[in-house]
């Protein structure tokens, strides 16, 4: 009975957190529109996206370092590369595509760290991670960022739907809002897994 109650309460809390995430997304969009009349490249939405993916990658990389969980080097490294990609507009001031010259070496470093820890240990740690709810949330967030936001932001589809009334900012709001929602879910997954490992240690 107690375990059932804990499970219900835990998932209800996550339901409330999803509501907070939605409020965050809408709040950032509202602030950008209120202050800039549109969603700028360096507005509230973009900065919040960068902050959330930076914190998420830092959590996973920190866990990989402190807990010696080699599989998390791959997870954290992938998210870190996503963060570097989010800064492409800043790197483009150096030269176009400069972000890749930072992301690729960093990805190789994380792969090397995981490989040096041993293939078996890395696979086992990924196996354990993939059997948690945090992985399910992380996957959902990544799908929102890497797949759904790109599909929902497909310009020809919007032009077909809106015709001569097409206004790019409407498309941009939906696309970037979806992306911010995904980054928020990824951050929740990172925090949840950190808590899971802490709780597992104390048990």
């Amino acid at each position: 009975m107690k375990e059932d109650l804990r499970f219900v309460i835990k998932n209800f809390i996550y339901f409330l957190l999803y509501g907070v995430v939605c409020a965050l997304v809408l709040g950032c969009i509202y602030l950008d529109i209120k202050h800039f009349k549109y969603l700028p490249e360096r507005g509230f939405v973009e900065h919040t996206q960068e902050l959330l993916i930076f914190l998420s990658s830092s959590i996973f990389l920190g866990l990989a370092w402190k807990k010696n969980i080699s599989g998390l080097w791959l997870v954290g490294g992938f998210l870190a590369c996503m963060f570097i990609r989010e800064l492409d507009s800043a790197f483009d001031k150096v030269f176009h595509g400069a972000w890749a010259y930072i992301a690729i070496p960093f990805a190789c470093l994380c792969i090397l760290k995981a490989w040096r820890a041993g293939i078996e240990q890395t696979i086992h740690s990924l196996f354990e991670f993939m059997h948690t709810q945090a992985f399910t949330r992380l996957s959902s967030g990544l799908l929102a960022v890497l797949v759904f936001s790109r599909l929902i932001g497909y310009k020809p589809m919007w032009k077909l739907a809106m015709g001569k009334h097409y206004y790019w900012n409407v498309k941009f709001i939906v696309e970037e809002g979806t992306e911010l929602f995904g980054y928020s879910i990824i951050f929740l997954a990172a925090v949840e897994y950190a808590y899971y490992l802490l709780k597992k240690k104390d048990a």
Side-chain angles (χ1 to χ4, degrees):
M1 178 63 180
K2 288 183 179 179
E3 288 297 322
D4 293 346
L5 181 60
R6 285 198 195 98
F7 182 80
V8 170
I9 292 174
K10 176 184 175 182
N11 282 279
F12 180 69
I13 290 173
Y14 275 111
F15 173 76
L16 295 177
L17 286 174
Y18 280 127
V20 172
V21 166
C22 292
L24 170 69
V25 172
L26 293 175
C28 289
I29 291 174
Y30 174 81
L31 288 173
D32 272 344
I33 294 174
K34 181 177 176 62
H35 288 276
F36 304 106
K37 306 304 179 187
Y38 66 104
L39 265 64
E41 190 69 24
R42 310 304 302 166
F44 291 101
V45 170
E46 285 286 339
H47 285 310
T48 306
Q49 288 175 356
E50 292 163 4
L51 175 63
L52 289 174
I53 193 61
F54 171 76
L55 292 175
S56 302
S57 63
S58 298
I59 290 173
F60 279 111
L61 290 174
L63 291 172
W65 179 272
K66 292 184 178 180
K67 302 289 185 181
N68 194 29
I69 305 174
S70 56
L72 296 187
W73 283 111
L74 302 179
V75 179
F78 179 72
L79 296 179
C81 290
M82 289 178 63
F83 168 67
I84 295 170
R85 177 65 179 83
E86 280 295 327
L87 300 176
D88 64 322
S89 60
F91 287 119
D92 281 348
K93 293 179 181 179
V94 180
F95 63 87
H96 183 69
W99 69 272
Y101 290 86
I102 297 174
I104 293 175
F106 189 83
C108 292
L109 175 63
C110 290
I111 293 171
L112 179 63
K113 293 285 288 184
W115 178 76
R116 290 184 64 183
I119 300 298
E120 187 176 341
Q121 181 182 338
T122 298
I123 292 175
H124 179 69
S125 58
L126 286 173
F127 173 84
E128 287 193 331
F129 173 54
M130 289 178 178
H131 277 76
T132 64
Q133 285 187 327
F135 173 74
T136 303
R137 294 187 214 286
L138 177 67
S139 300
S140 300
L142 288 173
L143 281 172
V145 173
L146 299 176
V147 180
F148 189 71
S149 71
R150 298 296 179 265
L151 294 176
I152 200 70
Y154 186 55
K155 187 185 292 185
M157 181 181 70
W158 283 88
K159 287 186 174 180
L160 181 65
M162 302 179 73
K164 63 179 182 180
H165 301 293
Y166 169 74
Y167 184 45
W168 71 270
N169 202 36
V170 175
K171 189 268 302 185
F172 196 61
I173 287 172
V174 175
E175 181 180 359
E176 294 300 319
T178 303
E179 198 170 314
L180 178 55
F181 179 79
Y183 281 131
S184 301
I185 301 304
I186 291 171
F187 175 68
L188 286 180
V191 173
E192 180 182 10
Y193 195 61
Y195 175 74
Y196 166 80
L197 291 178
L198 180 64
K199 186 179 177 182
K200 184 179 179 182
K201 180 182 178 181
D202 294 339

